[in-house]
Amino acid sequence: MALAPFQAAADAGTHCPYCAMQCAMRLEWRDGRPEAVPRDFPTSRGGLCRKGWTAGEMYAAARPAGPLLRDRRDAPLRPAGWEEAFDRIAAGLRAAQAAGGADAVGVFGGGALSNEKGYALGKFARLVLGTRHIDYNGRFCMASAAAAGGRAFGLDRGLPFPLSDIPEARAILIAGGNPAETLPVMMQYLEAQRAAGGQLIVADPRRSATAAMADLHLQLTPGSDAALAAGMLHVAVRDRLLDEGFIAARTSGFPAVRRAVAAWWPDRVERVAGVPERLLVRATHMLAEAATAMILSGRGPEQQSHGVANALGYINLALALGKAGRRGCGWGTLTGQGNGQGGREHGQKADQLPGYRSILDPAHRAAVAAVWGVPPERIPGAGVSAWELLQRCGRPDGIRALLVHGCNLLVAAPDAAALRARLAGLDLLVVADPFLSETAELADVVLPVAHWAEEEGTMTNLEGRLLLRERQASPPPGVRTDLEVLQAIAARLGRGGLVSAEPRAVFEELRQASAGGAADYAGITWERIKAEQGVFWPCPAPDHPGTPRPFESRFATPDGRARFHLAEHRAAAEETDADYPMLLTTGRVLAHYNSGTQTRRVEALLQADPAPYVEIHAQVARGLGIAEGEVVRLVTRRGAVTLPARLAPGMRLDTVFVPFHWGGREAVNLLTNPALDPVSRIPEFKVCAVRIERVPPSHGESPA
Ligand SMILES: Nc1nc2c(c(=O)[nH]1)N[C@H]1C(S)=C(S)[C@@H](COP(=O)(O)OP(=O)(O)OC[C@H]3O[C@@H](n4cnc5c(=O)[nH]c(N)nc54)[C@H](O)[C@@H]3O)O[C@H]1N2
Ligand SMILES: Nc1nc2c(c(=O)[nH]1)N[C@H]1C(S)=C(S)[C@@H](COP(=O)(O)OP(=O)(O)OC[C@H]3O[C@@H](n4cnc5c(=O)[nH]c(N)nc54)[C@H](O)[C@@H]3O)O[C@H]1N2
Ligand code: SF4
Ligand SMILES: [Mo]
């Protein structure tokens, strides 16, 4: 099922299918095979990482040639026509809602979807299905940073400055991010910063590739970021490093935070976070004494049951040092997914309407209802967060039918065994995916959809810059686009007029629906994106230049001041004990992307990292009698996984690390803790208690 080149304009380009760098590229055809070639662009500047270079090879992989359908729960998937698949879906949705009401169906989206798809999915859920139950995988990703940024600055804009400002920071603290592997093409900006004499501090329990290049590595205990940040602020107060002028002129709420951090003596921080006083003091002075500094947050501090407090702790530090709201300074979160930024703005979230509006605010509801041409009462209320939505699945009084676009739940969500049972209890599971993911394998109906280079659409990168992906290839016959799928299901349910299958028409509607909202796209056109190499939101009018630095003169709060928040350290939801004496943390490697659906289908990437493994400190391994490559069993309160050990001298003695890109019995999410942050509802992917067991040789599998 080879792809055919699409007769695109000579200057038509796209952006990488993976991370939020969205490096610029085009597909060229060599010997009939698509090959990714970098394009010049102000962000990626001609760069691509290994995943970007090999992106074209994804299309060599097998894909379903048409819909697949299961006649009974225990029957195998069989090929079906589109009409039959749509009939089955429409009948299943009607039956679920007849039995359990409008909210008996759920929709699950993702941050890989274009702005148009994310927007259309939100509208489809609210108006076509009339359900309040929609949420998306960004809840596993950016939710804590988004909540913290919104609270402190009045606006969640991942990076409140363009990447090109990074070299202007004299010091940078990266808190729990590993861009050397997760945003490799961004490293040129950090390298330029270093070349200009700037300093880099990394807070990470592992000596990650990024930590290895830092001037200072704070190797904190997983789950202790709020304590570390409070300790740094304590030192700043003690050593008179505060920017009192900035605090007075541009912030509110400092006195209470100042009182709270008084209790975070360096020796207490050392006990809780494991960072020695000497390093704590040095890091604080490095940040404070630099003329300009940035704090960049990754998923390390954010994917925790206290993820919002952790993020707010680092924001407090940036504000107290006066390192925000001016050139070369700021707290920012490194958005992960290709459209992780746009995907969290336009209504895929349970409590959100387009343009970052609230579904609970009567004025916001009225504004969006007017664009949608419905009375505001037609828009349902707020639903529940991603994990809570999944918990309701397969229960008679809960969600009976679920539509998934853009998430491989069985690999990406925590406590995967419990989740599998919930999904198996559904009356109808529909998965739209370009590939047969682990979750699609469990579905009643699989809809093969076009993706990335086969379609056009807009994405919003980690800087808040809108980008245009132009079509590079024709999708295989038998494949439809997500928008065509939504349109067809809507038509079956008698509401076809509500959703357009044309990306450009959807974007035009999104412009209107976002107008006047915080993430205002009203002034952005596809022509402008192309001519100006991206446009930064908010951009309320066609003659507005766009906003690369939204906080330069004032923050987005009503009074224009950034707000300090109490950011109390609290222990992780699960602490170590005699049965589970170590900590497990999880994350990424360079060669694979998220649930691995895409990168595990690219030969070069699979060769680079063919299978998961557990990183253990060499000394700990020696103590347990474990040799390099030997298979060990990791056991948590939720499950057990058997993996080969990699002895890593850069681990903490109390912590092991497993990448999460694999499914089946090797999925680390069989082990992780679904404890949620009270505000962001993000699960605690980054810390749980684990036991390591040696596997007697007779039971061991040979390491992959
Ligand atoms: N190669 C590759 N690149 C990707 C992705 C991918 O899957 N593969 N995914 C994309 C997506 S969706 C995202 S969200 C980003 C994620 O990008 P990152 O946030 O950079 O990635 P992670 O590996 O999840 O976590 C970063 C670091 O947090 C550390 N960490 C663990 N626990 C703690 C803690 O308690 N405190 C602190 N301070 N650090 C901790 C881990 O050791 C890890 O090195 O990457 C994007 N880019
Ligand atoms: N243990 C642990 N678990 C984690 C994390 C962690 O650090 N540790 N990180 C979490 C984070 S940050 C994230 S973002 C998630 C990511 O995990 P997932 O949500 O699973 O994300 P992906 O693997 O990027 O993509 C999911 C699916 O979308 C499909 N897809 C791609 N483009 C399209 C499209 O245009 N339309 C449709 N319909 N489908 C498409 C892909 O083929 C893939 O099967 O995992 C989370 N899970
Ligand atoms: S850095 Fe991200 S966007 Fe750029 S080529 Fe690599 S995976 Fe693609
Ligand atoms: Mo993510």
Side-chain angles (χ1 to χ4, degrees):
M1 212 181 33
L3 278 193
F6 177 73
Q7 287 314 321
D11 68 339
T14 187
H15 294 266
C16 177
Y18 304 115
C19 83
M21 267 302 290
Q22 284 299 291
C23 297
M25 55 167 63
R26 69 168 58 87
L27 280 192
E28 285 183 5
W29 300 77
R30 303 207 173 124
D31 305 325
R33 295 163 69 107
E35 228 174 82
V37 176
R39 286 190 292 134
D40 197 31
F41 202 74
T43 53
S44 49
R45 297 178 171 166
L48 294 180
C49 77
R50 198 188 293 173
K51 293 186 297 301
W53 279 113
T54 56
E57 287 178 36
M58 206 161 32
Y59 289 134
R63 291 162 70 179
L68 302 173
L69 200 146
R70 200 185 298 283
D71 293 313
R72 296 178 318 276
R73 243 300 123 97
D74 55 352
L77 285 167
R78 63 159 172 90
W82 281 96
E83 298 309 310
E84 188 187 4
F86 288 139
D87 286 344
R88 171 75 178 275
I89 293 168
L93 294 173
R94 280 206 200 90
Q97 292 191 319
D103 291 339
V105 301
V107 175
F108 207 99
L113 304 179
S114 64
N115 288 316
E116 296 74 29
K117 293 180 185 187
Y119 166 82
L121 204 61
K123 185 181 180 190
F124 175 87
R126 272 63 176 245
L127 296 192
V128 175
L129 300 176
T131 180
R132 65 191 180 97
H133 286 314
I134 173 167
D135 214 58
Y136 79 126
N137 70 1
R139 193 71 76 163
F140 300 154
C141 179
M142 304 307 300
S144 294
R151 288 179 170 212
F153 306 121
L155 180 69
D156 156 36
R157 233 292 287 275
L159 293 182
F161 43 74
L163 289 166
S164 54
D165 282 7
I166 288 177
E168 295 175 23
R170 303 297 298 159
I172 296 180
L173 165 62
I174 300 182
N178 182 17
E181 295 198 71
T182 56
L183 296 162
V185 175
M186 193 191 106
M187 295 312 281
Q188 60 185 304
Y189 295 95
L190 288 173
E191 279 152 18
Q193 184 254 355
R194 302 289 299 285
Q199 291 181 301
L200 178 65
I201 308 165
V202 173
D204 195 309
R206 300 188 300 145
R207 193 167 171 79
S208 65
T210 312
M213 51 176 279
D215 299 285
L216 194 57
H217 178 197
L218 307 175
Q219 199 162 10
L220 78 173
T221 316
S224 68
D225 288 89
L228 177 71
M232 292 179 77
L233 191 43
H234 177 104
V235 171
V237 173
R238 185 193 73 185
D239 296 357
R240 300 182 195 289
L241 299 169
L242 302 178
D243 186 338
E244 303 279 7
F246 179 89
I247 293 171
R250 298 205 52 193
T251 72
S252 62
F254 185 54
V257 169
R258 182 186 188 130
R259 279 193 298 277
V261 300
W264 282 97
W265 304 102
D267 59 343
R268 183 174 172 210
V269 177
E270 182 159 353
R271 269 197 320 278
V272 173
V275 174
E277 172 165 5
R278 180 177 54 84
L279 299 186
L280 186 75
V281 170
R282 222 179 115 208
T284 311
H285 280 254
M286 266 162 87
L287 270 189
E289 286 159 7
T292 48
M294 294 174 174
I295 300 182
L296 303 178
S297 177
R299 300 305 81 74
E302 300 168 13
Q303 291 172 321
Q304 300 197 19
S305 62
H306 307 296
V308 177
N310 290 339
L312 286 170
Y314 287 118
I315 292 175
N316 288 343
L317 180 63
L319 293 176
L321 300 179
K323 300 298 197 288
R326 61 186 173 92
R327 267 305 269 269
C329 292
W331 175 91
T333 181
L334 298 169
T335 293
Q337 295 188 86
N339 198 28
Q341 177 73 58
R344 66 186 193 261
E345 299 166 0
H346 300 298
Q348 291 189 73
K349 262 175 129 162
D351 56 353
Q352 185 196 60
L353 290 173
Y356 259 142
R357 288 191 171 89
S358 164
I359 207 164
L360 299 169
D361 182 315
H364 291 189
R365 293 170 63 85
V368 174
V371 176
W372 286 353
V374 298
E377 313 81 73
R378 264 285 294 284
I379 302 177
V384 296
S385 76
W387 177 248
E388 294 161 293
L389 185 158
L390 297 171
Q391 287 306 98
R392 286 175 189 234
C393 285
R395 301 187 193 277
D397 58 343
I399 293 171
R400 293 159 176 253
L402 180 70
L403 307 182
V404 182
H405 287 254
C407 183
N408 187 2
L409 290 165
L410 284 178
V411 181
D415 199 5
L419 174 63
R420 178 179 277 276
R422 296 263 56 83
L423 296 182
L426 285 164
D427 296 339
L428 177 70
L429 174 62
V430 180
V431 174
D433 203 294
F435 301 102
L436 195 63
S437 71
E438 282 80 358
T439 309
E441 283 173 9
L442 191 77
D444 300 292
V445 184
V446 179
L447 302 175
V449 288
H451 105 309
W452 177 50
E454 300 163 350
E455 307 181 276
E456 51 183 9
T458 67
M459 309 284 280
T460 305
N461 80 349
L462 76 173
E463 313 164 284
R465 183 197 305 248
L466 265 79
L467 308 170
L468 182 63
R469 284 180 175 178
E470 293 171 291
R471 205 168 144 187
Q472 308 283 299
S474 295
V479 158
R480 302 211 181 166
T481 68
D482 285 288
L483 290 177
E484 286 169 351
V485 162
L486 294 178
Q487 213 283 325
I489 299 175
R492 284 283 192 297
L493 298 174
R495 295 183 171 158
L498 286 168
V499 197
S500 167
E502 271 305 310
R504 202 167 171 127
V506 178
F507 183 76
E508 291 305 316
E509 192 185 311
L510 162 58
R511 283 176 67 190
Q512 289 179 42
S514 72
D520 192 331
Y521 287 17
I524 304 177
T525 60
W526 286 19
E527 288 72 27
R528 276 193 70 180
I529 298 177
K530 218 167 138 81
E532 298 168 33
Q533 299 192 296
V535 180
F536 290 84
W537 68 257
C539 179
D543 58 355
H544 186 285
T547 314
R549 299 178 189 86
F551 306 145
E552 230 177 357
S553 52
R554 66 193 303 280
F555 294 97
T557 51
D559 64 3
R561 290 166 176 267
R563 299 190 199 106
F564 282 91
H565 287 265
L566 287 178
E568 297 286 340
H569 165 77
R570 295 215 164 73
E574 201 173 70
E575 293 185 274
T576 55
D577 59 19
D579 291 333
Y580 304 96
M582 306 261 303
L583 295 170
L584 166 67
T585 193
T586 64
R588 298 164 160 80
V589 298
L590 197 153
H592 287 289
Y593 189 71
N594 286 351
S595 72
T597 314
Q598 299 169 95
T599 49
R600 281 185 274 123
R601 286 175 165 78
V602 174
E603 194 50 41
L605 300 178
L606 202 56
Q607 269 173 22
D609 259 311
Y613 54 84
V614 51
E615 267 180 23
I616 306 178
H617 192 287
Q619 193 180 318
V620 176
R622 255 197 313 280
L624 293 167
I626 297 164
E628 172 77 29
E630 189 176 328
V631 168
V632 298
R633 230 163 82 92
L634 302 181
V635 188
T636 70
R637 291 191 172 82
R638 291 152 296 279
V641 171
T642 304
L643 296 171
R646 275 197 198 171
L647 306 197
M651 280 310 295
R652 286 176 57 92
L653 292 169
D654 57 2
T655 306
V656 297
F657 170 85
V658 181
F660 86 103
H661 312 291
W662 288 268
R665 291 194 306 166
E666 294 173 320
V668 74
N669 276 326
L670 290 165
L671 304 179
T672 48
N673 187 356
L676 301 181
D677 179 282
V679 175
S680 69
R681 319 304 283 168
I682 207 168
E684 191 143 72
F685 289 119
K686 287 293 189 268
V687 47
C688 69
V690 67
R691 171 171 77 238
I692 308 173
E693 294 174 356
R694 276 197 75 184
V695 180
S698 55
H699 299 109
E701 302 151 25
S702 63

